[in-house]
């Protein structure tokens, strides 16, 4: 009997529903051709959840996703909910969901498709062949540290990391490096911050268990510069929550569009797979969003959460073929396009190639 996986689907806000529909289309196509079944269960998060229930993360979502094998997520947020109190905003729902799922490791590949070397704002010679995996700590650091307060005449947050938090994310980075080019660059601000000094010392201790992996350290300001100057020097970048947030967005531009890059948030339990971009309210509802980041996130889900690597390869190859044949959504439309297609047409094309 063929396997059945239960997939939690969170469409979210803005372009979220549009891009998730395309990823599901591709998942359906590949699951049929590979002989496994996917059963979907939909949950609310963010603005859509606020409108329906009054809170950004309803209890049904927290409980429901725990019963899934994996979760595919679009994006949340938008101007409609921007003026709510912080704890009621869509973003708070996402942060709390990640925390409740224990997804402490965020994996963000930054790869440059050969067909799109001209799409990057950097020279083709700088970006051709770039293949970086940013491993970002996701449930600790300054985004979660207590105390935090917004007062009349001052405000503060706390950047805190425990030994356990640093060790477990470092292990994820070293394990991934072992399957890649065996190089980890740990990014911190150890020249200024005690928390970074602690991060560095802890990473060095974890590295002792991975003698084959070369460990280097870089300050975050230098890392931002090096990513733009010579991105090919990096294999795995290991970093904390806020530095990873910023660096992975910078790394995303190497590829030419934020609409191309996937991410995986994993930990001990169910993983959350999502594009790195937001809900893009400026283009929502126009059918022009690039669904590739989300389709690629679905591929990461098959590979890392379900172990369906062959199906994941099929999706990755289908994306490359669609780009190779010259199909482009508007965001990458200026680069060797044969035909500009809509979000839904791009989904159809990739689903078709993935089903063969
Ligand atoms: P964004 O990523 O939504 O958009 C930035 C720019 O990139 C916009 O011009 C947008 O049109 C474009 N873009 C993004 N995804 C695209 C795609 N798939 N195809 C084509 N173009 C795309 O970032 P933002 O504008 O800073 O934030 C918008 C909202 O999204 C905010 O409410 C923010 O809080 C939220 N947000 C959510 C997440 C998430 O859900 N994980 C992440 C970041 C931002």
């Amino acid at each position: 009997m063929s396997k059945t996986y239960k997939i939690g689907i969170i469409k979210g806000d803005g372009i979220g529903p549009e891009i998730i529909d395309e990823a599901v289309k591709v998942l359906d196509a590949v699951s049929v051709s590979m002989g496994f079944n996917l059963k979907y269960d939909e949950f609310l998060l963010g603005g859509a959840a606020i409108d329906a229930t009054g809170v950004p993360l309803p209890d049904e979502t927290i409980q429901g996703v725990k019963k899934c094998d994996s979760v595919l997520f679009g994006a949340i947020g938008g101007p409609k909910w921007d003026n709510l109190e912080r704890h009621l905003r869509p973003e708070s729902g996402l942060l709390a969901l990640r925390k409740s799922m224990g997804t402490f490791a965020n994996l963000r590949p930054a790869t440059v498709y050969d067909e799109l070397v001209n799409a990057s704002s950097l020279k083709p010679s700088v970006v051709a062949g770039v293949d970086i995996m940013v491993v970002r700590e996701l449930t600790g650091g300054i985004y979660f540290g207590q105390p935090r307060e917004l007062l009349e005449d001052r405000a503060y947050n706390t950047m805190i990391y425990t030994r356990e938090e640093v060790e477990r994310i470092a292990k994820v980075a070293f394990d991934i490096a072992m399957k890649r080019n065996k190089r980890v660059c740990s990014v911190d601000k150890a020249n200024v911050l005690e928390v970074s000094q602690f991060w560095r010392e802890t990473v060095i201790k974890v590295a002792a268990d991975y003698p084959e992996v070369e460990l280097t350290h870089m300050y975050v300001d230098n890392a931002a510069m090096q990513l733009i100057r010579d991105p090919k020097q990096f294999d795995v970048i290991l970093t904390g929550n806020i530095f990873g947030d910023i660096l992975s967005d910078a790394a995303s531009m190497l590829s030419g569009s934020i609409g191309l890059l996937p991410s995986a948030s994993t930990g001990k339990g169910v993983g959350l797979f999502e594009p790195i971009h937001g809900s893009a309210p400026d283009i929502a509802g126009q059918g022009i969003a690039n669904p590739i980041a989300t389709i690629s996130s679905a591929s990461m889900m098959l590979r890392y959460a379900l172990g369906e690597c062959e199906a994941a390869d099929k999706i990755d190859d289908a994306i490359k073929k669609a780009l190779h044949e010259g199909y482009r959504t508007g965001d990458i439309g200026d680069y060797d396009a044969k035909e500009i297609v809509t979000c839904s047409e791009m989904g159809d094309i990739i689903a078709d190639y993935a089903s063969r």
Side-chain angles (χ1 to χ4, degrees):
M1 219 178 76
S2 57
K3 267 191 190 163
T4 298
Y5 300 105
K6 192 170 165 189
I7 308 297
I9 293 286
I10 301 177
K11 293 186 172 180
D13 311 315
I15 60 170
E18 304 165 42
I19 52 179
I20 285 286
D21 284 352
E22 300 319 308
V24 168
K25 196 186 272 178
V26 175
L27 280 171
D28 282 342
V30 83
S31 63
V32 167
S33 73
M34 295 302 296
F36 58 84
N37 302 307
L38 298 173
K39 189 173 162 294
Y40 304 104
D41 229 343
E42 216 176 295
F43 301 103
L44 291 172
L45 180 72
I50 294 169
D51 289 352
T53 70
V55 291
L57 175 60
D59 248 2
E60 300 87 82
T61 301
I62 299 180
Q63 300 311 328
V65 296
K66 287 186 182 148
K67 297 180 191 136
C68 295
D69 292 306
S70 188
V71 180
L72 186 65
F73 162 55
I76 45 93
K80 181 176 174 191
W81 306 281
D82 273 353
N83 295 323
L84 296 172
E85 275 180 64
R86 191 180 53 81
H87 71 284
L88 287 175
R89 288 177 50 142
E91 294 80 0
S92 301
L94 177 56
L95 292 182
L97 178 68
R98 286 174 178 157
K99 189 95 180 171
S100 78
M101 291 174 75
T103 55
F104 61 83
N106 187 228
L107 317 183
R108 291 206 193 187
T111 37
V112 175
Y113 291 105
D114 288 345
E115 291 75 12
L116 294 177
V117 284
N118 292 316
S120 173
S121 47
L122 300 183
K123 281 187 241 159
S125 61
V126 175
V127 295
V130 160
D131 180 9
I132 302 171
M133 179 68 88
V134 180
V135 178
R136 167 189 168 197
E137 200 290 326
L138 200 58
T139 53
I142 198 165
Y143 292 168
F144 292 95
Q146 296 289 348
R148 56 192 294 164
E149 206 169 8
L150 174 59
L151 298 164
E152 190 68 29
D153 56 352
R154 70 199 164 97
Y156 58 91
N157 291 85
T158 301
M159 191 156 171
I160 182 165
Y161 269 116
T162 65
R163 187 173 305 287
E164 192 209 340
E165 283 174 326
V166 182
E167 280 175 357
R168 67 186 183 181
I169 191 70
K171 282 181 189 154
V172 170
F174 283 105
D175 284 338
I176 287 175
M178 285 296 289
K179 294 180 193 147
R180 294 172 47 102
N181 295 319
K182 299 195 171 76
R183 287 186 291 119
V184 169
C185 177
S186 174
V187 173
D188 59 39
K189 191 70 184 167
N191 50 342
V192 179
L193 302 173
E194 284 78 2
V195 61
S196 278
Q197 215 175 311
F198 176 81
W199 172 281
R200 191 176 281 216
E201 286 161 13
T202 309
V203 171
I204 288 170
K205 282 183 190 146
V206 173
D209 293 334
Y210 298 85
E212 286 177 58
V213 178
E214 177 197 301
L215 171 65
T216 53
H217 305 273
M218 202 178 269
Y219 298 135
V220 62
D221 40 352
N222 185 28
M225 191 262 280
Q226 295 295 339
L227 260 180
I228 308 302
R229 192 186 73 83
D230 177 23
K232 274 181 260 191
Q233 69 183 284
F234 295 107
D235 178 21
V236 174
I237 293 178
L238 161 65
T239 192
N241 205 342
I242 188 168
F243 299 154
D245 195 3
I246 298 163
L247 290 180
S248 49
D249 264 23
S252 75
M253 270 324 288
L254 303 172
S255 77
S257 170
I258 199 168
L260 293 169
L261 294 176
S263 79
S265 303
T266 64
K268 287 179 189 142
V270 178
L272 185 67
F273 294 80
E274 52 179 301
I276 69 159
H277 58 73
S279 59
D282 54 334
I283 57 166
Q286 297 176 33
I288 58 171
N290 188 341
I292 289 179
T294 314
I295 294 170
S296 198
S297 303
S299 159
M300 283 187 89
M301 179 178 83
L302 292 175
R303 190 181 307 281
Y304 292 110
L306 310 181
E308 295 287 352
C309 297
E310 215 180 311
D313 287 344
K314 266 184 169 255
I315 294 182
D316 294 347
D317 290 346
I319 293 171
K320 282 184 201 142
K321 184 158 169 55
L323 293 173
H324 188 71
E325 295 298 318
Y327 296 109
R328 306 277 188 268
T329 42
D331 54 318
I332 46 173
D334 288 343
Y335 309 100
D336 305 318
K338 188 186 85 184
E339 191 180 334
I340 305 291
V341 295
T342 64
C343 180
S344 165
E345 285 165 344
M346 184 61 103
D348 288 341
I349 291 159
I350 296 172
D352 178 34
Y353 291 148
S355 66
R356 292 182 194 176

